[in-house]
Amino acid sequence: SAVISQKPSRDICQRGTSLTIQCQVDSQVTMMFWYRQQPGQSLTLIATANQGSEATYESGFVIDKFPISRPNLTFSTLTVSNMSPEDSSIYLCSVDGQVYNEQFFGPGTRLTVL
Amino acid sequence: GQQVMQIPQYQHVQEGEDFTTYCNSSTTLSNIQWYKQRPGGHPVFLIQLVKSGEVKKQKRLTFQFGEAKKNSSLHITATQTTDVGTYFCAANAGGTSYGKLTFGQGTILTVHP
């Protein structure tokens, strides 16, 4: 299994600002995913990030709002741009497992926008 | 897009009682995965089911995949307080989107000692 770390673990931000979340994996992985999860709710996929190509965004999510970088096989960032209180959520990165295509999740970043 | 419906949304049980959560899809699934998320934690992979009618067990947990590969269930026998958390099913999109998961709404399990 992969060990994943995320920074920051939590943050409180002012509306209109941007926050970049980092996701670091202890091994090289092909696919990385970014999710959003409201407390008590399910996980909503924001985008899939493969190294060397543009991220693929799900319906309702756009690159201008959630730019993603994937500079190598162990690292990715998600930026939440021009934040509003509606962006308050937990953001999770995950990576594709090697056995079952299961996903291993990072601990999440709890974002509060005031 | 692919959708998986999961019920119930909440389940409160007394310790020792059994618990079941159900996952249904309108389309045939290539496989289905189950995850557990403890309060304040992140989802953790439990198991994957691939074959029609497949049944797998992990101690007190029994996972089933329907014959038509459109539904699945997770059954916990004699719940313990350590079982508390949210249980999600997740369907693999398959095809060119293989690896991408669609999560059910989750069932929040509370176990009263």
Side-chain angles (χ1 to χ4, degrees), chain B:
Chain B
Q2 190 170 57
Q3 287 189 325
V4 286
M5 306 301 293
Q6 191 174 352
I7 58 169
Q9 185 176 1
Y10 302 95
Q11 187 76 57
H12 308 279
V13 300
Q14 289 292 130
E15 190 172 21
E17 292 181 339
D18 291 357
F19 159 76
T20 305
T21 174
Y22 301 90
C23 195
N24 294 287
S25 170
S26 59
T27 60
T28 302
L29 303 172
S30 57
N31 60 63
I32 194 155
Q33 300 178 2
W34 286 91
Y35 291 78
K36 177 183 178 181
Q37 184 174 26
R38 287 195 162 93
H42 57 274
V44 175
F45 173 76
L46 294 176
I47 208 161
Q48 176 172 278
L49 304 172
V50 178
K51 299 177 183 176
S52 169
E54 189 170 17
V55 178
K56 288 187 176 181
K57 292 190 176 184
Q58 291 180 349
K59 298 182 179 178
R60 294 177 294 105
L61 278 61
T62 301
F63 304 84
Q64 293 189 341
F65 203 8
E67 293 290 341
K69 300 182 71 174
K70 289 184 176 182
N71 58 76
S72 181
S73 65
L74 158 59
H75 179 83
I76 302 178
T77 304
T79 55
Q80 300 175 358
T81 55
T82 54
D83 295 324
V84 164
T86 303
Y87 293 85
F88 293 100
C89 61
N92 199 302
T96 56
S97 298
Y98 193 79
K100 191 173 78 170
L101 296 176
T102 300
F103 282 82
Q105 295 88 338
T107 297
I108 300 173
L109 173 63
T110 306
V111 180
H112 300 285

Side-chain angles (χ1 to χ4, degrees), chain A residues 31-75:
Chain A
M31 301 176 76
M32 296 182 76
F33 306 89
W34 286 98
Y35 290 86
R36 185 168 71 183
Q37 184 180 32
Q38 300 283 355
Q41 303 293 316
S42 186
L43 292 85
T44 301
L45 181 64
I46 298 171
T48 302
N50 291 333
Q51 195 268 337
S53 62
E54 294 284 332
T56 303
Y57 289 83
E58 297 301 303
S59 176
F61 298 95
V62 295
I63 188 171
D64 290 345
K65 176 67 176 177
F66 298 101
I68 288 171
S69 77
R70 181 81 201 272
N72 57 52
L73 292 173
T74 63
F75 187 78

Side-chain angles (χ1 to χ4, degrees), chain A residues 54-110:
Chain A
E54 294 284 332
T56 303
Y57 289 83
E58 297 301 303
S59 176
F61 298 95
V62 295
I63 188 171
D64 290 345
K65 176 67 176 177
F66 298 101
I68 288 171
S69 77
R70 181 81 201 272
N72 57 52
L73 292 173
T74 63
F75 187 78
S76 178
T77 67
L78 169 76
T79 299
V80 187
S81 304
N82 188 23
M83 290 184 286
S84 67
E86 291 70 36
D87 294 319
S88 297
S89 190
I90 299 168
Y91 292 84
L92 295 136
C93 69
S94 72
V95 303
D96 189 37
Q98 302 301 310
V99 179
Y100 300 108
N101 284 117
E102 73 276 34
Q103 290 186 17
F104 298 103
F105 286 83
T109 296
R110 183 179 294 268

